[in-house]
């Protein structure tokens, strides 16, 4: 398991893996590990050329405001109905969540909690640049803090969205993770700690994990279900789906079983709509298996494709995938479209689901028009690594890394960069969110930087 402390050190030092933890033998819990995971492949013969802007010639993307906050790092920024919720971290704790006005950075409330911010608190599905954050609902903000890196405890806390007051907390001598919220219930996994004697030790057997259905109003556990070796959990209107080992289990929201099947392949990620379950399996020389299951457990389709990452659009019922090519699969497994352009983590849907952004070959960002998948443009910032991190209707934000970190404002229609902001040789950018007409940047030096979108489009 990669602790928060080690992940922060790696992120600040170089582009190295910041992997999530499985409940088995370690590694990424989903197919969407950090964009820092590995270099993109070199451009293939079918890849289009990069954009024409020269980064060195771009005007500086000047900020309208910068806010320094308590703590050492701004690990997460999450937006809900015009308010930004910032996850603030200090080594060893305490952690804090602050609510901010995105137009000027005014702090609306600030709540400190013991322990350090833990991974897997952020349960949203379309924000691949985030490693940490909070889950925000209509009335509450859910945060998990603790000392998992010491193998001691973690706690889930529910904060009132208006005041920041702690409504309730749930503590376990295990590693808790928020997996989703539906109809007044927070679905949480509780993973048994494994403390290695040596740094590279792994469990001899898959670690026990309890799936908890927690009442969002008062924190009581409505029901629980034991598993082992959980790789991923998906919460949908139809139920809760768990991928554990080669097993795939779907539960109704009351905890009763809908189906439990052996897929014959190690699942690494699962996603679900109200009518279908999508499973990605362990990779191999021929690629990763992608499968679709009905809600009675029947495997409706499945094939092996050379994909590295996938993103579900639950509203369209489509699965977007990137690898040697970029493609979209309909819910029935049929091919909606395919482009002979490299794609990979992160995959990001733009506003109104009108554009799909992905990290392409080399250090490029690719943009595809939706729903037909027409390749719109390719932007190459001429850096060692680059990937899309956020998008408004008019601007795509691309992060680049060579000696230091940079952000580019790219015209969403033409693919031309209009501004560049350098954050220095050793700067760490943890998250970028669009809110209040800004690209808000959470940094490793305890600041939030507001880069205006209106003047760069």
């Amino acid at each position: 398991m990669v602790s928060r402390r080690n992940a922060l050190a790696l992120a600040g030092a170089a582009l190295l893996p910041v992997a999530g933890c499985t409940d088995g033998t370690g590694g990424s819990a989903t197919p969407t590990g950090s964009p820092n995971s590995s270099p993109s492949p070199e451009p293939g013969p079918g890849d289009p050329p990069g954009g024409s802007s020269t980064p060195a010639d771009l005007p500086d993307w000047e900020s309208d405001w910068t806010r320094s906050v308590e703590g050492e790092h701004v690990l997460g920024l999450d937006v809900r109905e015009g308010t930004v919720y910032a996850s603030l971290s200090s080594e060893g704790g305490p952690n804090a969540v602050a609510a901010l006005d995105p137009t000027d950075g005014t702090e609306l409330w600030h709540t400190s909690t013991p322990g350090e911010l833990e991974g897997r608190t952020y349960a949203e599905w379309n924000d691949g640049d985030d490693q940490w954050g909070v889950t925000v609902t209509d009335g509450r903000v859910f945060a998990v803090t603790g000392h998992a890196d010491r193998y001691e405890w973690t706690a889930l806390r529910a904060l009132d969205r208006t005041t920041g007051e702690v409504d309730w907390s749930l503590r376990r001598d295990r590693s808790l993770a928020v997996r989703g919220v539906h109809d007044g219930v927070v679905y949480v996994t509780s993973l048994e700690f494994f403390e290695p004697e040596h740094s590279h030790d792994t469990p001899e057997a898959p670690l026990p994990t309890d799936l908890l259905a927690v009442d969002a109003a008062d924190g009581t556990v409505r029901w629980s279900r034991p598993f082992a070796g959980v790789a991923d959990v998906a919460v949908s209107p139809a139920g809760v789906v768990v991928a554990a080992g080669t097993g795939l289990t779907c539960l109704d929201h009351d905890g009763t079983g809908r189906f439990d099947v052996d897929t014959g392949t190690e699942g690494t990620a699962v996603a679900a709509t109200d009518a279908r379950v999508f499973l990605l399996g362990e990779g191999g020389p021929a690629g990763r298996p992608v499968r679709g299951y009905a809600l009675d457990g029947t495997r409706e389709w499945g094939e092996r494709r050379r994909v590295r990452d996938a993103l579900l659009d639950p509203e369209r019922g489509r699965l977007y995938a990137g690898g040697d090519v970029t493609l979209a699969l309909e819910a029935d497994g049929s091919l909606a479209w395919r482009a002979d352009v490299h794609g990979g983590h992160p995959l990001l849907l733009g506003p109104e689901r009108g554009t799909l952004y992905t990290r392409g070959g080399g250090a490029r960002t690719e943009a595809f028009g939706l729903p037909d998948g027409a390749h719109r443009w390719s932007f190459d910032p001429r850096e060692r690594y680059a990937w899309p991190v956020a998008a408004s209707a008019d601007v795509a934000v691309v992060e680049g890394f060579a000696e230091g970190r940079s952000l580019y404002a790219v015209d969403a229609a033409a693919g031309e960069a209009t501004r560049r902001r350098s954050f220095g040789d050793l700067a760490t950018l943890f998250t970028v969110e669009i809110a209040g007409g800004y690209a808000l940047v959470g940094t490793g030096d305890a600041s939030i930087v507001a880069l205006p979108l209106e003047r760069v489009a």
Side-chain angles (χ1 to χ4, degrees):
M1 176 178 289
V2 179
S3 72
R4 191 198 65 87
R5 177 180 291 123
N6 290 337
L8 288 175
L10 291 174
L15 285 177
L16 294 173
V18 187
C21 299
T22 65
D23 300 2
T25 58
S28 177
T30 72
T32 56
S34 165
N36 305 346
S37 303
S38 61
S40 291
E42 290 303 312
D47 289 334
S52 58
S53 300
T54 302
D57 298 335
L58 294 174
D60 185 45
W61 196 357
E62 298 180 355
S63 60
D64 274 4
W65 57 263
T66 298
R67 178 175 182 83
S68 296
V69 296
E70 285 186 27
E72 299 171 3
H73 313 287
V74 181
L75 294 185
L77 295 173
D78 301 298
V79 180
R80 180 84 175 206
E81 296 174 354
T83 300
V84 177
Y85 300 89
S87 299
L88 313 177
S89 176
S90 296
E91 193 64 51
N95 176 76
V97 179
L100 306 173
D101 182 335
T103 61
D104 58 9
T106 299
E107 191 172 87
L108 306 177
W109 52 258
H110 184 285
T111 301
S112 294
T113 57
E116 299 177 345
L117 186 69
E118 299 295 334
R120 299 309 297 259
T121 303
Y122 182 82
E124 296 298 325
W125 57 271
N126 185 36
D127 217 339
D129 71 305
D130 282 354
Q131 296 297 320
W132 294 275
V134 292
T135 295
V136 187
T137 65
D138 289 341
R140 288 178 174 82
V141 178
F142 297 99
V144 177
T145 62
H147 289 300
D149 59 338
R150 303 177 190 172
Y151 314 103
E152 294 178 355
W153 62 272
T154 60
L156 169 65
R157 289 180 174 81
L159 313 181
D160 184 279
R161 258 188 69 191
T162 303
T163 65
E165 294 181 359
V166 179
D167 288 339
W168 54 261
S169 65
L170 176 71
R171 176 169 166 155
R172 292 286 189 273
D173 294 334
R174 284 183 163 207
S175 179
L176 298 179
V178 176
R179 300 294 187 155
V181 183
H182 178 77
D183 196 22
V185 178
V186 188
Y187 295 94
V188 180
T189 50
S190 175
L191 166 67
E192 182 177 287
F193 286 129
F194 170 73
E195 184 172 3
E197 183 177 352
H198 304 97
S199 61
H200 296 293
D201 289 348
T202 58
E204 294 182 359
L207 293 176
T209 299
D210 291 333
L211 175 64
L212 310 177
V214 182
D215 192 299
D218 59 17
T220 58
V221 178
R222 294 186 179 182
W223 54 264
S224 66
R225 178 79 175 263
F227 291 90
V230 172
D232 199 15
V233 178
V235 178
S236 82
V240 185
V241 185
V242 181
T246 62
L248 186 65
T249 301
C250 183
L251 306 173
D252 285 322
H253 292 113
D254 62 3
T256 58
R258 184 183 285 266
F259 70 76
D260 190 354
V261 298
D262 189 334
T263 67
T265 185
E266 291 281 341
T268 59
V270 64
T273 66
D274 57 0
R276 189 164 277 99
V277 175
F278 301 88
L279 177 72
L280 268 69
E282 197 68 53
R288 304 180 66 181
V290 185
R291 296 179 179 175
Y293 291 81
L295 292 181
D296 62 359
T298 302
R299 176 177 162 182
E300 295 187 325
W301 55 267
E303 56 186 299
R304 187 171 293 276
R305 294 180 178 272
R306 299 189 68 182
V307 301
R308 291 191 302 274
D309 193 21
L311 171 68
L312 174 67
D313 179 351
E315 292 191 12
R316 281 202 176 112
R318 277 186 175 179
L319 192 73
Y320 298 105
D324 288 351
V325 299
T326 303
L327 54 86
L329 298 176
E330 300 287 11
D332 62 3
S334 62
L335 185 68
W337 56 262
R338 165 184 165 139
D340 291 327
V341 178
H342 279 292
H345 179 70
L347 295 155
L348 177 71
L349 286 175
E352 305 301 323
R353 292 167 170 79
T355 308
L356 174 70
Y357 299 98
T358 182
R359 181 182 181 187
R364 297 201 304 270
T365 290
E366 311 288 355
F368 301 88
L370 299 179
D372 61 359
H375 186 256
R376 289 183 173 171
W377 49 259
S378 176
F379 170 66
D380 184 353
R382 279 80 165 178
E383 300 219 25
R384 185 179 178 189
Y385 304 90
W387 51 84
V389 292
S392 69
D394 301 314
V395 178
V397 183
V398 174
E399 180 176 346
F401 176 87
E403 299 302 322
R405 302 291 179 108
S406 299
L407 290 179
Y408 296 86
V410 180
D411 185 288
E416 293 288 340
T418 60
R419 294 287 192 280
R420 176 180 182 269
R421 174 63 177 255
S422 173
F423 285 84
D425 290 347
L426 298 177
T428 299
L429 309 182
F430 284 108
T431 184
V432 181
E433 285 288 334
I434 303 296
Y438 294 101
L440 301 178
V441 185
T443 75
D445 62 357
S447 64
I448 300 171
V449 180
L451 304 177
L453 298 173
E454 181 179 0
R455 297 190 297 276
V456 299

